[in-house]
Amino acid sequence: MNAVVAAHGLGKQYRRRWALRDCTLEIPTGRVTGLVGPNGAGKTTLLNLAVGILSPTVGTIEVCGGRPAASSAQLAKVGFVAQDTPTYAGLTIADHLRLGAHLNPRWDQAAARRRIDRLGLDQRQKAGRLSGGQRAQLALTLGLAKRPELLVLDEPVASLDPLARREFLQVLMEAVAEEEISVLLSSHVVSDLERVCDHAVVLVDSQVRVAGDVDRLLATHHRLSGPRRDPDSLPADQHVVWASHTDRQSTYVVRTESRVLDPSWSTTPLGLEDLVLAYMEGSAPAVQSSPELEVIP
Amino acid sequence: MIEFSLDTRSGVSPYLQVVHQVRRALRLGLLVEGDQLPTVKDVVASLAINPNTVLKAYRELERDGLVAARPGVGTFVTRTLADSTLAAHEPLRRDLARWLAKARLAGLDEESIEALFASTFRDVNEESA
């Protein structure tokens, strides 16, 4: 596979705590990849490792064929919009564009101005006076004007209202349609990512739980419910992601390459959000409640 | 021109939803030969959806011989799905209405009717598969 990000045995430790463990991962080029998982799962750590803000404790990570932030050529290949889309509050939009042009060798000033105009923003306005949605759009404009091979965005829409969120994703998707760019973005809100991502990485508890093309993930995961059954009685090719039992009924979320033929199951498809939740809950410690939750390693 | 919508809770992947919506429009005669499908950029702009998703859907429709891409112009419908079965819809609808009346007379409520239909539909499908 032609990978824009390739990690092998990657791990990052803060004092005694591992923020990311045993991460082996290939993210394909030319795609929009969603990094999903609960808060504190290690999403920001992985993104910071990818852009070179952090260096690994163990393992390796390659981005666009090189070590993150190893050279100025490498830096030019990767754009990064950090959490809460930071900008310089005291600088005007025009200042931001001048600064970007000065600092980035491949900078596309004409495209940046065009985007700002299309958003209806006044270049003389200071970034500190912009709304959250406008500030996010400015940060995105800067990230795109850099013309990177890979654009990394950390929770870009988390703090935006639904309308600003939609507008932000529209601009991002139009950029993907126009330019050859790979995008890696994180979110703890799966519904934001469902329509924009064609590849997903689910990170729970510092570890990658599942990764793959979204279509493939949706096609290979099913929710089965029916009379109570032991997980051992399921066919060997059905990998249990999540299970819940009452005294009479069992409900499973399984991953399988083949069709579910057993007529005693009622089988329903899963949306990406339910799928991610199944991985999140399936790996959590068992909770004392009914229906009981089983932990399947 | 038709417009697409997305149901992200359905568990059906977005590209398949686009395929289904085009096929349904073809079946109902909303789209006929020569009609243009929305451009990828238009769909991306209106739905905030990944362009690869739209391209994948259009490629699948092209593989099925329903549409053809004219480079630089757009994607156009080449075949409709409505013609052969549309005439049969009305008598089938009347049969179904009679059957529904019978089911209600026998005391079935809406939920039982739906369940009966779904399970029969599945059984018959499996027999003929």
Side-chain angles (χ1 to χ4, degrees):
Chain A
M1 182 168 58
N2 190 1
V4 66
V5 176
H8 294 280
L10 184 67
K12 178 70 190 175
Q13 192 179 23
Y14 295 113
R15 299 191 183 182
R16 239 172 299 161
R17 199 178 74 83
W18 285 91
L20 189 71
R21 282 177 299 169
D22 307 325
C23 175
T24 296
L25 184 68
E26 292 204 339
I27 293 175
T29 303
R31 311 291 286 280
V32 181
T33 301
L35 180 59
V36 293
N39 288 326
K43 299 191 296 292
T44 297
T45 300
L46 178 54
L47 295 184
N48 285 346
L49 286 165
V51 297
I53 290 175
L54 293 175
S55 25
T57 310
V58 292
T60 59
I61 180 163
E62 275 200 3
V63 176
C64 304
R67 201 157 50 80
S71 63
S72 56
Q74 178 69 30
L75 280 170
K77 288 182 188 170
V78 182
F80 181 46
V81 177
Q83 212 158 352
D84 300 324
T85 55
T87 50
Y88 297 97
L91 297 187
T92 65
I93 293 176
D95 292 336
H96 278 88
L97 297 191
R98 258 197 302 280
L99 194 60
H102 191 68
L103 294 174
N104 295 285
R106 286 154 51 89
W107 188 262
D108 188 345
Q109 189 73 306
R113 291 218 180 92
R114 232 180 5 253
R115 282 186 202 288
I116 293 295
D117 287 346
R118 245 177 42 202
L119 294 165
L121 294 178
D122 180 355
Q123 291 202 30
R124 290 165 300 181
Q125 206 165 11
K126 290 205 168 151
R129 318 276 313 239
L130 299 174
S131 71
Q134 290 170 331
R135 211 178 54 238
Q137 292 280 11
L138 173 59
L140 176 59
T141 301
L142 299 174
L144 289 170
K146 182 179 175 165
R147 292 204 295 139
E149 290 176 27
L150 170 69
L151 182 62
V152 178
L153 306 110
D154 192 359
E155 295 275 0
V157 294
S159 58
L160 303 182
D161 64 67
L163 183 63
R165 197 174 282 206
R166 174 62 72 88
E167 284 170 352
F168 184 93
L169 294 175
Q170 265 165 353
V171 172
L172 183 62
M173 287 304 106
E174 284 181 86
V176 172
E178 284 163 6
E179 286 151 50
E180 283 180 21
I181 185 171
S182 305
V183 175
L184 171 59
L185 75 165
S186 70
S187 180
H188 66 279
V189 185
V190 183
S191 53
D192 288 340
L193 300 184
E194 203 143 26
R195 55 175 74 209
V196 303
C197 295
D198 49 9
H199 196 85
V201 176
V202 180
L203 198 62
V204 181
D205 199 16
S206 316
Q207 282 185 303
V208 175
R209 302 289 306 180
V210 68
D213 288 354
V214 171
D215 292 340
R216 186 105 203 97
L217 289 175
L218 293 177
T220 52
H221 286 79
H222 311 274
R223 182 188 285 113
L224 314 177
S225 61
R228 187 179 168 118
R229 254 170 85 169
D230 203 57
D232 297 338
S233 69
L234 295 175
D237 63 351
Q238 291 180 5
H239 169 81
V240 175
V241 175
W242 177 91
S244 162
H245 306 279
T246 65
D247 51 345
R248 289 188 191 165
Q249 200 191 26
S250 289
T251 307
Y252 288 100
V253 170
V254 298
R255 180 174 71 232
T256 177
E257 294 292 324
S258 38
R259 286 181 58 195
V260 177
L261 297 167
D262 194 325
S264 63
W265 289 124
S266 111
T267 310
T268 47
L270 263 81
L272 189 60
E273 186 160 18
D274 288 342
L275 194 156
V276 171
L277 281 173
Y279 275 96
M280 278 161 59
E281 291 178 2
S283 64
V287 286
Q288 295 281 318
S289 71
S290 185
E292 76 183 275
L293 197 67
E294 282 197 359
V295 184
I296 312 298
Chain B
M1 191 74 86
I2 58 165
E3 257 186 314
F4 298 117
S5 59
L6 272 192
D7 176 4
T8 47
R9 297 192 172 269
S10 62
V12 180
S13 63
Y15 100 89
L16 269 182
Q17 293 190 40
V18 172
V19 170
H20 290 164
Q21 284 169 39
V22 172
R23 293 190 74 103
R24 179 171 306 148
L26 290 169
R27 208 170 287 285
L28 295 174
L30 292 173
L31 278 176
V32 295
E33 267 177 71
D35 281 350
Q36 186 177 2
L37 295 184
T39 65
V40 173
K41 244 195 115 185
D42 285 344
V43 182
V44 167
S46 68
L47 292 183
I49 183 185
N50 187 319
N52 296 331
T53 302
V54 189
L55 284 170
K56 186 171 177 185
Y58 284 12
R59 268 201 306 274
E60 176 152 327
L61 290 163
E62 201 168 358
R63 223 177 16 245
D64 294 343
L66 297 172
V67 304
R70 285 188 225 150
V73 191
T75 305
F76 294 85
V77 175
T78 50
R79 189 159 70 84
T80 170
L81 291 168
D83 48 1
S84 55
T85 67
L86 213 51
H89 281 198
E90 202 36 51
L92 283 168
R93 188 200 304 275
R94 278 199 298 273
D95 283 356
L96 199 54
R98 262 199 295 276
W99 181 85
L100 283 172
K102 252 196 327 212
R104 283 201 193 284
L105 211 60
L108 275 73
D109 60 7
E110 220 165 272
E111 215 171 294
S112 316
I113 290 173
E114 272 176 20
L116 184 58
F117 179 83
S119 77
T120 312
F121 188 81
R122 207 174 42 224
D123 291 349
V124 171
N125 265 358
E126 271 163 19
E127 276 164 31
S128 61

